[in-house]
Structures are given as C-alpha cells and as structure tokens.
Amino acid sequence: MIDGKTRVCGLIGNPVEHSCSPLIHNAISEILGINMVYATFKVEKDMVCDAVRGAYALNILGMNVTVPHKQEVLKSLVETDPLAEAIGAVNTLVRADGGYKGYNTDILGLYRSLVEEGVRLSGEHVILLGAGGASRAIAFLCADKGADKVYLLNRTVEKAEVIANEVNRKMQRNVIVPMALADYQEIPKGNYLCIQTTSVGLHPNDGDVVIEDEAFYENIHTGYDIIYNPYETRFMKMVKKHGGRAFNGLKMLLYQAVAAYELWNDIEVEKAVSNQVFERLKKELEIHD
Ligand code: ATR
C-alpha cells in the first residue's frame, strides 16, 4: 500500500510507456515487502537537467535513465562511477550528497547474466557485432574483464573505429580490432564468444540475421544476443545449429534492474527473488518455453 513513507523511484526517457522496468521493480518491492514504488516519467530532451534537479528536490530515491538521455544526463550528476564514466553513458542515478551519482547497470546486468550462464570474458577471443550504444559499453566491459582480443564489426566501419580507438586508449592496450561487417571472413579461424548487439533480427523481423553465412557460426562456442524479442533469435538458432550455446538479452534486462534496485536500497537481491521476477517478466511478455 502506498502511504506517507513510500519511497519513489522512476524511469526518465522518451518514450517510456512500453518499459518493463515498472514491472520488475514493483515486483521486487512486493516480494521483499519494501515500501517503494516505481513509475515512468516522459522527459523531453531539453528538460533532462531540470528533471534530475526536480527529482532530487522531491526526495526521489533513484532514477533510471533510458534512450535518448543516457549521455545527456551525465551533465547533471554530482559523481559518476568510473566504469560508467569510461563508457560515457549512465542508466541509473543513486541519491548522494547534493545530487545523484551515476552508474551504468546495463553493463553490470550483462556481466551478471554472463557470469550466471558460466560465460567467461577473461582470456577470451570475442566477436562483437554492431557499434551502437550497447556495443560501446560491451567493448569496455570485455577490455576491463581481460578479454584477449575483441573483433568489433559494424556495417559502418567508422563507428567501430571510434569505439576501438577510445577503448584501446583508455585501456592502454590494442584489445579492440575494428572491422567492416562485410569483411567478417578476415577474422582468424578460432573459437569465439560472439555478442550480437545490432537491431537485426528484432521482432517483427524475426527471420533476419546480421551474418547469413553458415560457415561463420562454426567458429562460435557461445552466442549472446542482446535482443530478447523474439526469445530465440535467428542468430541464436544458427549458433546452436553449429554446436554452440546461445543466450538472449532478457537476463541482461532483468539484472540491470536488479543491480539498480540493490544500489537504491542498499541490499542484495537473492537469486530466488530474481528468478521469481524473471518468471513474471516472461509471463508479461507472453514468452512460453
Ligand atoms: P543500441 O544503442 O541498442 O546499440 P543503435 O545505437 O541504434 O542501438 O545501434 C544499432 C546497431 O545496429 C548499429 O551498429 C547498426 O549499424 P550502423 O552503425 O552501420 O548503422 C546496426 N544495424 C542496424 N541495422 C543493420 C543492418 N541492416 N545491417 C547491419 N547492421 C545494422
């Protein structure tokens, strides 16, 4: 029940009405009996700083930030977590002295889901498909966690080069190798973890896949698609067909929220609770497996 002691958290972005975050956060609160409510706030681009200041003034406990404000919001923070700073994007604001501290729980969520599935980054050879916002964060994560080499492939090679230069400079080693997507056959033969971050294959284009060539998938031991709709993408099917393990991005979505919830409430959400929320999320998204 909402009462005088209810703490408020929320999501700022535009659009926000189709977000799964209210479901996840409110489910955690309900299961744990924590008096917190999570709502969405549609915020226009030129109002991001006002929104953050207003939220602080209203004693709002924490905020999530989504597209298109993840970079813009950096300007209105009193402190930024070093990994979020390096990535240059923040999706979670945590109340601190005089304002909010920014974190990137998108990447913490991805890492947590990889760990849970037993997927290593340390010492790995990685192929990263796409060079948008998600890829940029994942490139930093791979470098930070000790990946040996990351081939970063994008249709527009210049965007891959920008990310590679930045990560290699910050990490002081040549870990990211930028390439044009069309040149994928130049990747040395090997045993790769492949992370798919393009929008190719997203519903309703379920039949699409960014690389059609069957031979490509023979070198993939694990495929991770950040798409979760469809639940099994064509990319995942192709990885499996060639003997690899494949995962979708729904756990990443779940754990970015769980990580934010933990930061706001200074608690650890147990795996059993996350699993319960995951089942509710699948039900909401009408996923049957
Ligand atoms: P996000 O922030 O989720 O990573 P994004 O920034 O919109 O999303 O990035 C979308 C990615 O999908 C980009 O890497 C894009 O390639 P370009 O940079 O060349 O545009 C990639 N992408 C989208 N449609 C594609 C297609 N038909 N073929 C190959 N790559 C595609």
Side-chain angles (χ1 to χ4, degrees), residues 11-65:
L11 170 69
I12 62 173
N14 189 8
V16 287
E17 62 264 34
H18 298 296
S19 168
C20 293
S21 292
L23 180 140
I24 302 175
H25 290 286
N26 291 322
I28 302 174
S29 292
E30 187 203 310
I31 295 165
L32 296 178
I34 289 176
N35 193 356
M36 186 193 110
V37 65
Y38 185 101
T40 62
F41 302 96
K42 180 181 163 198
V43 173
E44 302 295 337
K45 194 161 180 66
D46 58 349
M47 300 290 274
V48 175
C49 285
D50 288 345
V52 173
R53 282 167 60 98
Y56 193 77
L58 288 169
N59 198 27
I60 285 180
L61 181 61
M63 303 289 283
N64 279 139
V65 184

Short mmCIF file of all heavy atoms in Angstrom, two decimals, residues 11-65:
data_model
loop_
_atom_site.label_atom_id
_atom_site.label_comp_id
_atom_site.label_asym_id
_atom_site.label_seq_id
_atom_site.Cartn_x
_atom_site.Cartn_y
_atom_site.Cartn_z
N LEU A 11 11.68 6.04 -13.93
CA LEU A 11 12.43 5.99 -15.19
C LEU A 11 12.19 7.29 -15.95
O LEU A 11 11.04 7.68 -16.17
CB LEU A 11 11.92 4.81 -16.03
CG LEU A 11 12.40 4.71 -17.47
CD1 LEU A 11 13.89 4.37 -17.52
CD2 LEU A 11 11.60 3.66 -18.24
N ILE A 12 13.29 7.95 -16.37
CA ILE A 12 13.12 9.07 -17.29
C ILE A 12 13.64 8.67 -18.66
O ILE A 12 14.67 8.00 -18.79
CB ILE A 12 13.78 10.38 -16.79
CG1 ILE A 12 15.29 10.27 -16.63
CG2 ILE A 12 13.17 10.83 -15.47
CD1 ILE A 12 15.96 11.59 -16.29
N GLY A 13 12.90 9.06 -19.68
CA GLY A 13 13.25 8.72 -21.05
C GLY A 13 12.16 9.25 -21.95
O GLY A 13 11.27 9.97 -21.51
N ASN A 14 12.23 8.87 -23.21
CA ASN A 14 11.19 9.29 -24.15
C ASN A 14 11.32 8.45 -25.42
O ASN A 14 12.27 8.66 -26.17
CB ASN A 14 11.35 10.78 -24.48
CG ASN A 14 10.18 11.30 -25.28
OD1 ASN A 14 9.18 10.60 -25.46
ND2 ASN A 14 10.31 12.51 -25.76
N PRO A 15 10.46 7.48 -25.67
CA PRO A 15 9.24 7.17 -24.92
C PRO A 15 9.55 6.27 -23.71
O PRO A 15 10.62 5.69 -23.63
CB PRO A 15 8.42 6.40 -25.95
CG PRO A 15 9.44 5.72 -26.81
CD PRO A 15 10.63 6.63 -26.85
N VAL A 16 8.59 6.16 -22.80
CA VAL A 16 8.77 5.31 -21.62
C VAL A 16 7.61 4.34 -21.38
O VAL A 16 7.73 3.42 -20.56
CB VAL A 16 8.96 6.15 -20.32
CG1 VAL A 16 10.32 6.81 -20.29
CG2 VAL A 16 7.86 7.19 -20.17
N GLU A 17 6.54 4.53 -22.11
CA GLU A 17 5.31 3.80 -21.73
C GLU A 17 5.37 2.29 -21.97
O GLU A 17 4.57 1.56 -21.39
CB GLU A 17 4.06 4.43 -22.37
CG GLU A 17 4.04 4.43 -23.86
CD GLU A 17 4.53 5.76 -24.44
OE1 GLU A 17 5.44 6.40 -23.86
OE2 GLU A 17 4.06 6.14 -25.50
N HIS A 18 6.31 1.80 -22.80
CA HIS A 18 6.36 0.36 -23.03
C HIS A 18 7.45 -0.34 -22.19
O HIS A 18 7.74 -1.51 -22.38
CB HIS A 18 6.58 0.06 -24.52
CG HIS A 18 5.45 0.59 -25.36
ND1 HIS A 18 4.18 0.11 -25.23
CD2 HIS A 18 5.40 1.56 -26.29
CE1 HIS A 18 3.38 0.77 -26.06
NE2 HIS A 18 4.10 1.66 -26.72
N SER A 19 8.04 0.41 -21.27
CA SER A 19 9.14 -0.14 -20.48
C SER A 19 8.69 -1.29 -19.57
O SER A 19 7.59 -1.27 -19.01
CB SER A 19 9.72 0.98 -19.61
OG SER A 19 10.58 0.43 -18.65
N CYS A 20 9.57 -2.28 -19.41
CA CYS A 20 9.31 -3.40 -18.48
C CYS A 20 9.81 -3.05 -17.08
O CYS A 20 9.58 -3.83 -16.13
CB CYS A 20 10.07 -4.64 -18.93
SG CYS A 20 9.47 -5.32 -20.47
N SER A 21 10.50 -1.94 -16.92
CA SER A 21 11.12 -1.63 -15.62
C SER A 21 10.11 -1.49 -14.48
O SER A 21 10.37 -2.00 -13.38
CB SER A 21 11.98 -0.36 -15.73
OG SER A 21 13.09 -0.62 -16.54
N PRO A 22 8.94 -0.84 -14.68
CA PRO A 22 7.99 -0.78 -13.56
C PRO A 22 7.61 -2.17 -13.07
O PRO A 22 7.57 -2.41 -11.86
CB PRO A 22 6.78 -0.05 -14.16
CG PRO A 22 7.37 0.80 -15.24
CD PRO A 22 8.47 -0.05 -15.83
N LEU A 23 7.37 -3.08 -14.00
CA LEU A 23 7.01 -4.45 -13.61
C LEU A 23 8.11 -5.07 -12.76
O LEU A 23 7.85 -5.65 -11.69
CB LEU A 23 6.77 -5.30 -14.87
CG LEU A 23 6.40 -6.75 -14.61
CD1 LEU A 23 5.33 -7.19 -15.59
CD2 LEU A 23 7.58 -7.70 -14.69
N ILE A 24 9.36 -4.95 -13.20
CA ILE A 24 10.46 -5.61 -12.49
C ILE A 24 10.63 -5.01 -11.08
O ILE A 24 10.65 -5.72 -10.08
CB ILE A 24 11.79 -5.48 -13.28
CG1 ILE A 24 11.65 -6.09 -14.68
CG2 ILE A 24 12.95 -6.12 -12.51
CD1 ILE A 24 12.88 -5.89 -15.58
N HIS A 25 10.74 -3.68 -11.01
CA HIS A 25 11.00 -3.04 -9.71
C HIS A 25 9.84 -3.22 -8.73
O HIS A 25 10.05 -3.48 -7.55
CB HIS A 25 11.32 -1.56 -9.91
CG HIS A 25 12.65 -1.34 -10.55
ND1 HIS A 25 13.82 -1.52 -9.87
CD2 HIS A 25 13.00 -1.03 -11.81
CE1 HIS A 25 14.83 -1.30 -10.69
NE2 HIS A 25 14.37 -1.00 -11.88
N ASN A 26 8.62 -3.04 -9.24
CA ASN A 26 7.47 -3.17 -8.34
C ASN A 26 7.29 -4.62 -7.88
O ASN A 26 6.85 -4.87 -6.76
CB ASN A 26 6.21 -2.60 -8.99
CG ASN A 26 6.30 -1.08 -9.14
OD1 ASN A 26 6.82 -0.39 -8.26
ND2 ASN A 26 5.86 -0.54 -10.27
N ALA A 27 7.69 -5.57 -8.72
CA ALA A 27 7.63 -6.98 -8.31
C ALA A 27 8.65 -7.25 -7.20
O ALA A 27 8.34 -7.93 -6.22
CB ALA A 27 7.90 -7.89 -9.51
N ILE A 28 9.85 -6.70 -7.33
CA ILE A 28 10.87 -6.92 -6.29
C ILE A 28 10.36 -6.33 -4.96
O ILE A 28 10.45 -6.97 -3.91
CB ILE A 28 12.25 -6.31 -6.67
CG1 ILE A 28 12.78 -6.88 -7.99
CG2 ILE A 28 13.27 -6.54 -5.55
CD1 ILE A 28 14.06 -6.21 -8.50
N SER A 29 9.84 -5.12 -5.03
CA SER A 29 9.32 -4.47 -3.81
C SER A 29 8.24 -5.31 -3.16
O SER A 29 8.23 -5.50 -1.93
CB SER A 29 8.75 -3.08 -4.14
OG SER A 29 9.77 -2.21 -4.51
N GLU A 30 7.35 -5.83 -4.00
CA GLU A 30 6.24 -6.63 -3.47
C GLU A 30 6.76 -7.91 -2.80
O GLU A 30 6.39 -8.24 -1.68
CB GLU A 30 5.29 -6.97 -4.62
CG GLU A 30 4.01 -7.64 -4.20
CD GLU A 30 3.41 -8.42 -5.35
OE1 GLU A 30 3.27 -7.86 -6.46
OE2 GLU A 30 3.12 -9.62 -5.14
N ILE A 31 7.67 -8.59 -3.49
CA ILE A 31 8.19 -9.86 -2.96
C ILE A 31 8.95 -9.63 -1.65
O ILE A 31 8.82 -10.39 -0.70
CB ILE A 31 9.08 -10.57 -4.01
CG1 ILE A 31 8.25 -10.98 -5.22
CG2 ILE A 31 9.79 -11.79 -3.40
CD1 ILE A 31 9.06 -11.36 -6.45
N LEU A 32 9.76 -8.56 -1.61
CA LEU A 32 10.58 -8.30 -0.42
C LEU A 32 9.86 -7.49 0.65
O LEU A 32 10.41 -7.28 1.74
CB LEU A 32 11.88 -7.58 -0.83
CG LEU A 32 12.83 -8.36 -1.74
CD1 LEU A 32 14.04 -7.51 -2.10
CD2 LEU A 32 13.28 -9.66 -1.08
N GLY A 33 8.65 -7.00 0.35
CA GLY A 33 7.91 -6.18 1.32
C GLY A 33 8.59 -4.84 1.57
O GLY A 33 8.61 -4.34 2.69
N ILE A 34 9.18 -4.27 0.51
CA ILE A 34 9.84 -2.96 0.64
C ILE A 34 8.87 -1.87 0.16
O ILE A 34 8.24 -2.02 -0.90
CB ILE A 34 11.18 -2.94 -0.15
CG1 ILE A 34 12.20 -3.83 0.58
CG2 ILE A 34 11.71 -1.50 -0.31
CD1 ILE A 34 13.53 -3.98 -0.12
N ASN A 35 8.76 -0.81 0.95
CA ASN A 35 7.78 0.24 0.67
C ASN A 35 8.34 1.23 -0.37
O ASN A 35 8.78 2.32 -0.04
CB ASN A 35 7.41 0.95 1.98
CG ASN A 35 6.19 1.82 1.82
OD1 ASN A 35 5.64 1.97 0.72
ND2 ASN A 35 5.75 2.41 2.92
N MET A 36 8.36 0.79 -1.62
CA MET A 36 8.90 1.61 -2.71
C MET A 36 8.01 1.45 -3.92
O MET A 36 7.49 0.36 -4.17
CB MET A 36 10.33 1.12 -3.03
CG MET A 36 11.05 1.97 -4.05
SD MET A 36 12.55 1.14 -4.69
CE MET A 36 12.00 0.79 -6.36
N VAL A 37 7.81 2.53 -4.64
CA VAL A 37 7.02 2.46 -5.86
C VAL A 37 7.84 3.01 -7.02
O VAL A 37 8.66 3.91 -6.83
CB VAL A 37 5.66 3.19 -5.70
CG1 VAL A 37 5.85 4.68 -5.48
CG2 VAL A 37 4.75 2.95 -6.89
N TYR A 38 7.68 2.40 -8.19
CA TYR A 38 8.47 2.77 -9.37
C TYR A 38 7.53 3.19 -10.49
O TYR A 38 6.61 2.45 -10.85
CB TYR A 38 9.31 1.57 -9.81
CG TYR A 38 10.28 1.83 -10.93
CD1 TYR A 38 11.64 2.03 -10.68
CD2 TYR A 38 9.86 1.84 -12.27
CE1 TYR A 38 12.54 2.23 -11.71
CE2 TYR A 38 10.77 2.04 -13.30
CZ TYR A 38 12.11 2.24 -13.02
OH TYR A 38 12.99 2.44 -14.04
N ALA A 39 7.73 4.39 -11.02
CA ALA A 39 6.85 4.91 -12.08
C ALA A 39 7.69 5.39 -13.26
O ALA A 39 8.93 5.46 -13.17
CB ALA A 39 6.02 6.05 -11.53
N THR A 40 7.04 5.72 -14.36
CA THR A 40 7.78 6.26 -15.51
C THR A 40 7.50 7.75 -15.67
O THR A 40 6.40 8.22 -15.37
CB THR A 40 7.39 5.54 -16.82
OG1 THR A 40 6.00 5.76 -17.06
CG2 THR A 40 7.69 4.06 -16.76
N PHE A 41 8.52 8.46 -16.14
CA PHE A 41 8.40 9.90 -16.39
C PHE A 41 8.90 10.20 -17.80
O PHE A 41 10.10 10.01 -18.08
CB PHE A 41 9.24 10.69 -15.38
CG PHE A 41 8.87 10.42 -13.94
CD1 PHE A 41 9.58 9.48 -13.19
CD2 PHE A 41 7.81 11.08 -13.35
CE1 PHE A 41 9.25 9.22 -11.87
CE2 PHE A 41 7.47 10.82 -12.01
CZ PHE A 41 8.18 9.90 -11.28
N LYS A 42 8.00 10.66 -18.64
CA LYS A 42 8.42 11.05 -20.01
C LYS A 42 9.05 12.43 -19.93
O LYS A 42 8.42 13.38 -19.47
CB LYS A 42 7.18 11.06 -20.91
CG LYS A 42 7.50 11.45 -22.33
CD LYS A 42 6.25 11.46 -23.17
CE LYS A 42 6.49 12.24 -24.45
NZ LYS A 42 5.24 12.65 -25.08
N VAL A 43 10.32 12.52 -20.35
CA VAL A 43 11.06 13.78 -20.24
C VAL A 43 11.59 14.20 -21.61
O VAL A 43 12.23 13.40 -22.30
CB VAL A 43 12.22 13.64 -19.22
CG1 VAL A 43 13.11 14.88 -19.20
CG2 VAL A 43 11.68 13.36 -17.82
N GLU A 44 11.34 15.44 -22.00
CA GLU A 44 11.85 15.96 -23.28
C GLU A 44 13.35 16.24 -23.15
O GLU A 44 13.86 16.48 -22.07
CB GLU A 44 11.11 17.26 -23.66
CG GLU A 44 9.61 17.14 -23.78
CD GLU A 44 9.15 16.22 -24.92
OE1 GLU A 44 9.92 16.02 -25.87
OE2 GLU A 44 8.02 15.70 -24.82
N LYS A 45 14.03 16.23 -24.30
CA LYS A 45 15.49 16.33 -24.31
C LYS A 45 16.05 17.56 -23.59
O LYS A 45 17.02 17.46 -22.85
CB LYS A 45 15.99 16.31 -25.77
CG LYS A 45 17.49 16.08 -25.85
CD LYS A 45 17.93 15.60 -27.22
CE LYS A 45 19.42 15.35 -27.29
NZ LYS A 45 19.88 14.25 -26.45
N ASP A 46 15.42 18.71 -23.79
CA ASP A 46 15.96 19.93 -23.17
C ASP A 46 15.54 20.07 -21.70
O ASP A 46 15.82 21.09 -21.08
CB ASP A 46 15.55 21.17 -23.98
CG ASP A 46 14.04 21.29 -24.10
OD1 ASP A 46 13.34 20.32 -23.75
OD2 ASP A 46 13.56 22.35 -24.55
N MET A 47 14.90 19.05 -21.15
CA MET A 47 14.42 19.13 -19.77
C MET A 47 15.13 18.13 -18.84
O MET A 47 14.74 18.00 -17.67
CB MET A 47 12.91 18.85 -19.72
CG MET A 47 12.07 19.82 -20.52
SD MET A 47 12.04 21.46 -19.78
CE MET A 47 10.70 21.24 -18.64
N VAL A 48 16.16 17.45 -19.34
CA VAL A 48 16.79 16.38 -18.55
C VAL A 48 17.37 16.91 -17.24
O VAL A 48 17.14 16.36 -16.17
CB VAL A 48 17.86 15.63 -19.39
CG1 VAL A 48 18.59 14.61 -18.54
CG2 VAL A 48 17.22 14.95 -20.58
N CYS A 49 18.12 18.03 -17.32
CA CYS A 49 18.73 18.59 -16.11
C CYS A 49 17.67 19.05 -15.12
O CYS A 49 17.78 18.80 -13.91
CB CYS A 49 19.66 19.76 -16.46
SG CYS A 49 21.19 19.17 -17.19
N ASP A 50 16.63 19.69 -15.63
CA ASP A 50 15.52 20.13 -14.76
C ASP A 50 14.88 18.92 -14.08
O ASP A 50 14.54 18.97 -12.90
CB ASP A 50 14.44 20.85 -15.59
CG ASP A 50 14.88 22.23 -16.05
OD1 ASP A 50 15.89 22.73 -15.50
OD2 ASP A 50 14.24 22.80 -16.95
N ALA A 51 14.70 17.86 -14.86
CA ALA A 51 14.05 16.65 -14.33
C ALA A 51 14.88 16.08 -13.18
O ALA A 51 14.35 15.70 -12.13
CB ALA A 51 13.85 15.62 -15.43
N VAL A 52 16.20 16.01 -13.37
CA VAL A 52 17.08 15.42 -12.35
C VAL A 52 17.10 16.30 -11.09
O VAL A 52 17.00 15.80 -9.97
CB VAL A 52 18.50 15.19 -12.92
CG1 VAL A 52 19.47 14.76 -11.83
CG2 VAL A 52 18.45 14.15 -14.03
N ARG A 53 17.19 17.61 -11.28
CA ARG A 53 17.16 18.53 -10.12
C ARG A 53 15.83 18.44 -9.39
O ARG A 53 15.78 18.43 -8.16
CB ARG A 53 17.39 19.97 -10.59
CG ARG A 53 18.84 20.29 -10.90
CD ARG A 53 18.92 21.60 -11.66
NE ARG A 53 18.36 22.69 -10.89
CZ ARG A 53 19.09 23.53 -10.16
NH1 ARG A 53 20.39 23.39 -10.12
NH2 ARG A 53 18.53 24.50 -9.48
N GLY A 54 14.77 18.38 -10.17
CA GLY A 54 13.42 18.28 -9.59
C GLY A 54 13.26 16.98 -8.81
O GLY A 54 12.70 16.97 -7.71
N ALA A 55 13.78 15.91 -9.37
CA ALA A 55 13.68 14.60 -8.70
C ALA A 55 14.42 14.65 -7.36
O ALA A 55 13.93 14.16 -6.34
CB ALA A 55 14.27 13.51 -9.60
N TYR A 56 15.58 15.30 -7.37
CA TYR A 56 16.36 15.39 -6.12
C TYR A 56 15.60 16.20 -5.08
O TYR A 56 15.50 15.82 -3.91
CB TYR A 56 17.74 16.01 -6.39
CG TYR A 56 18.66 15.84 -5.21
CD1 TYR A 56 19.26 14.61 -4.96
CD2 TYR A 56 18.88 16.88 -4.31
CE1 TYR A 56 20.07 14.42 -3.86
CE2 TYR A 56 19.69 16.70 -3.20
CZ TYR A 56 20.29 15.47 -2.99
OH TYR A 56 21.09 15.27 -1.89
N ALA A 57 15.03 17.32 -5.55
CA ALA A 57 14.27 18.20 -4.65
C ALA A 57 13.06 17.46 -4.07
O ALA A 57 12.67 17.69 -2.92
CB ALA A 57 13.81 19.45 -5.40
N LEU A 58 12.49 16.56 -4.84
CA LEU A 58 11.31 15.81 -4.38
C LEU A 58 11.68 14.58 -3.55
O LEU A 58 10.83 13.76 -3.23
CB LEU A 58 10.47 15.38 -5.59
CG LEU A 58 9.73 16.52 -6.30
CD1 LEU A 58 9.15 16.03 -7.62
CD2 LEU A 58 8.61 17.06 -5.42
N ASN A 59 12.97 14.46 -3.22
CA ASN A 59 13.45 13.35 -2.39
C ASN A 59 13.26 11.98 -3.06
O ASN A 59 13.07 10.97 -2.39
CB ASN A 59 12.78 13.38 -1.02
CG ASN A 59 13.54 12.56 0.01
OD1 ASN A 59 14.77 12.40 -0.11
ND2 ASN A 59 12.85 12.01 0.98
N ILE A 60 13.27 11.99 -4.39
CA ILE A 60 13.15 10.72 -5.12
C ILE A 60 14.43 9.90 -4.88
O ILE A 60 15.55 10.43 -4.96
CB ILE A 60 12.84 10.97 -6.60
CG1 ILE A 60 11.35 11.38 -6.69
CG2 ILE A 60 13.16 9.77 -7.47
CD1 ILE A 60 10.82 11.66 -8.05
N LEU A 61 14.23 8.63 -4.54
CA LEU A 61 15.35 7.78 -4.09
C LEU A 61 16.34 7.49 -5.22
O LEU A 61 17.55 7.51 -5.02
CB LEU A 61 14.76 6.47 -3.55
CG LEU A 61 15.72 5.44 -2.99
CD1 LEU A 61 16.49 5.99 -1.80
CD2 LEU A 61 14.96 4.17 -2.57
N GLY A 62 15.83 7.18 -6.40
CA GLY A 62 16.73 6.85 -7.51
C GLY A 62 15.99 6.90 -8.81
O GLY A 62 14.76 6.83 -8.84
N MET A 63 16.74 7.03 -9.89
CA MET A 63 16.13 7.09 -11.21
C MET A 63 16.86 6.14 -12.16
O MET A 63 18.07 5.95 -12.04
CB MET A 63 16.25 8.50 -11.81
CG MET A 63 15.67 9.61 -10.97
SD MET A 63 13.89 9.59 -10.93
CE MET A 63 13.52 10.27 -12.51
N ASN A 64 16.10 5.61 -13.10
CA ASN A 64 16.72 5.01 -14.28
C ASN A 64 16.59 6.01 -15.42
O ASN A 64 15.67 6.82 -15.43
CB ASN A 64 16.00 3.72 -14.70
CG ASN A 64 16.42 2.52 -13.90
OD1 ASN A 64 15.59 1.70 -13.53
ND2 ASN A 64 17.71 2.40 -13.62
N VAL A 65 17.56 5.91 -16.32
CA VAL A 65 17.56 6.81 -17.47
C VAL A 65 17.62 5.94 -18.72
O VAL A 65 18.45 5.03 -18.79
CB VAL A 65 18.79 7.73 -17.44
CG1 VAL A 65 18.74 8.73 -18.59
CG2 VAL A 65 18.89 8.45 -16.11
#
